[in-house]
Amino acid sequence: MLDLATGDWRAQLLPEGGAAITQLAWRGRDVLVPLPLGADPNASFGGAFVMLPWTNRLDAGQLPVAGTVHHLPVNRPEDNTAIHGLARDRAWTVESEAGDRCTLTQALDGAAEGLPYAYRAQLSLELGEEGARLSLAVTNAAGQPFPFGLGWHPFFLRPAGTGLRFRASALFARDARTLPVAVQASDGLVGDEQAYEGLDTHFAGWDGAAEILRPDLRLHLAASGAWSRNLHVFAPAGSSVLCLEPVSHVPDAPNRPDFAGYGPLTMLAPDSTLTASLLLRAAI
């Protein structure tokens, strides 16, 4: 477990647990739902985990690239999808730690596991007066171009009376497996629980900014790089969590070419890197 702290901010990370953030707090107030000690970060509605080399779902685990269909492990058999990538299931290495910041890395050569991906990834979290900044990067370590995506899946604490506000230009209707089936114009979302509760919905044309308006504090998200256009919103009915997931592409994008213009996976040449960053600020 890594403990970070400075000024108003406190954080804990679990390098051996997919680099999950198990706790993030501001002035003693939990920003994320704390992950219980010993809980699986990939099977709990708490903390936050990274998603790469793809985000959200791939139908039947299929990844078509240059005329070849690669098959990734279906880890959600109830809807026959490969979900949330490979990085969250593997340990990360602590490269540096300095009280208020840390950098973790992960390398994968998937050939030994029958996986088509080879990558090097880096995750950094820095706490400071400006806020909490999370940066994520993935580099193609294969000898040929290959498509990549990345995202972050936080479980923000949602007390009763929490509002949400962001702008976007499109949202996606989904089927029973939460795969996109149609796109429609959107202004984004402004409202309280009635406006977003029950969503498991992707928004494109996001401007990279969002606000969570809790009764006890206000959170502002500012995304940049590969995270500045797509946002997935997950707010299970009857729960106390609100997931605003900055991501680099539309769910199942490689299998749905009609939606490619709204956010495809990024084709990276060998040794090329995809980067993204998120700054989280808090105020009363």
Side-chain angles (χ1 to χ4, degrees):
M1 181 81 72
L2 280 181
D3 289 285
L4 305 179
T6 186
D8 294 330
W9 290 92
R10 300 288 186 276
Q12 290 183 329
L13 295 91
L14 200 61
E16 67 275 20
I21 297 177
T22 62
Q23 184 179 35
L24 182 65
W26 179 77
R27 294 186 180 177
R29 297 173 172 88
D30 285 314
V31 172
L32 302 175
V33 177
L35 187 72
L37 184 65
D40 182 353
N42 297 319
S44 306
F45 279 12
F49 59 82
V50 297
M51 299 180 285
L52 64 87
W54 75 90
T55 80
N56 212 278
R57 294 163 171 83
L58 293 178
D59 193 1
Q62 296 186 141
L63 179 64
V65 183
T68 298
V69 178
H70 300 275
H71 294 276
L72 293 154
V74 171
N75 55 356
R76 191 174 173 86
E78 59 267 37
D79 60 22
N80 192 30
T81 58
I83 189 168
H84 295 333
L86 302 169
R88 66 181 185 139
D89 298 316
R90 292 166 165 78
W92 290 62
T93 299
V94 179
E95 293 293 332
S96 65
E97 177 190 1
D100 61 352
R101 66 194 65 192
C102 65
T103 297
L104 285 69
T105 59
Q106 185 187 79
L108 174 71
D109 183 353
E113 301 177 47
L115 298 170
Y117 276 105
Y119 66 74
R120 299 184 301 274
Q122 178 175 293
L123 169 70
S124 297
L125 179 62
E126 180 179 351
L127 308 178
E129 293 184 2
E130 188 182 19
R133 181 179 294 278
L134 180 83
S135 300
L136 187 60
V138 62
T139 300
N140 180 11
Q144 62 282 329
F146 214 73
F148 284 81
L150 44 76
W152 188 53
H153 196 308
F155 291 91
F156 289 108
L157 183 64
R158 172 167 63 99
T162 295
L164 176 60
R165 179 165 58 203
F166 65 86
R167 292 192 294 267
S169 61
L171 68 81
F172 288 82
R174 57 187 173 90
D175 63 16
R177 297 186 297 150
T178 320
L179 295 172
V181 294
V183 64
Q184 63 190 68
S186 171
D187 294 325
L189 194 151
V190 177
D192 59 13
E193 292 98 335
Q194 292 184 345
Y196 62 77
E197 191 168 40
L199 291 183
D200 193 349
T201 303
H202 189 86
F203 291 82
W206 180 41
D207 67 1
E211 284 188 299
I212 299 174
L213 307 171
R214 286 172 30 175
D216 61 334
L217 60 82
R218 183 173 72 255
L219 298 170
H220 182 268
L221 286 72
S224 57
W227 286 344
S228 61
R229 291 189 59 224
N230 284 266
L231 182 71
H232 197 89
V233 179
F234 175 47
S239 76
S240 60
V241 304
L242 173 58
C243 301
L244 297 185
E245 308 164 33
V247 294
S248 64
H249 63 87
V250 173
D252 201 32
N255 297 307
R256 299 175 189 257
D258 288 349
F259 301 149
Y262 295 94
L265 269 75
T266 301
M267 187 66 73
L268 292 181
D271 293 319
S272 294
T273 302
L274 182 67
T275 63
S277 183
L278 181 73
L279 176 64
L280 181 61
R281 300 194 300 268
I284 300 296

